[in-house]
Amino acid sequence: MTRLEHLNITVPDIDAALAFLTIIAPDFKVRKDVKSHTSHRWAHVGNEQCYFALQEPHLDSLSPSNAQKAYKNFGVNHIALVVESIEIIEENLVKEGYRRGILAPEEAYRKRAYFFDAAGFEWELTEYLSDNPDEMYLYE
């Protein structure tokens, strides 16, 4: 069975990325955080099944920018995670000042929420209320 093992994302601030991830994925732990004096900082954060490889800009990047516009330019539109207790996660994200993305329609067998992290990445958070694939995934 194919599964996602990790995503490698360049972020402007690893500490800000870790702060966001601890809210949306409380089971994620920092596996490794390398703060080198001679190279860029990087960190791996996740659980036993998957992780995010976060890194600061490098390779002679003098002034990185975020010119990507989701759903308009080539690139990542959003990153999706399956979560538990989505209402608590939403409450904590709002309390910490994270900006909401699009509003997802109400559905019988899943709850979804979209939020932007400090770097501008949009995250889709989904809590499934069924284990039946015919109910979980609506393609209407």
Side-chain angles (χ1 to χ4, degrees), residues 7 11 23 27 32 38-39 45-46 74 78 81 88 96 105 125:
L7 292 173
V11 297
I23 294 172
D27 64 314
K32 186 80 171 177
T38 59
S39 184
V45 58
F74 295 117
H78 64 254
L81 292 180
I88 294 170
E96 292 298 321
L125 310 172

Side-chain angles (χ1 to χ4, degrees), residues 3 30 34 37 39-40 43 49 58 73 84 94 102 105 137:
R3 66 177 176 84
V30 176
V34 176
H37 289 91
S39 184
H40 65 283
Q49 286 75 43
H58 66 291
N73 297 7
E84 296 177 6
V94 168
I102 62 171
Y137 310 111

Side-chain angles (χ1 to χ4, degrees), residues 7-61:
L7 292 173
N8 184 302
I9 305 170
T10 299
V11 297
D13 183 336
I14 287 178
D15 291 322
L18 292 173
F20 182 82
L21 284 167
T22 59
I23 294 172
I24 66 169
D27 64 314
F28 278 19
K29 304 295 179 238
V30 176
R31 295 178 173 192
K32 186 80 171 177
D33 189 347
V34 176
K35 302 172 188 178
S36 170
H37 289 91
T38 59
S39 184
H40 65 283
R41 179 180 175 197
W42 62 271
H44 286 183
V45 58
N47 57 30
E48 291 80 26
Q49 286 75 43
C50 65
Y51 67 96
F52 289 97
L54 307 174
Q55 64 184 30
E56 292 179 340
H58 66 291
L59 300 177
D60 299 325
S61 178

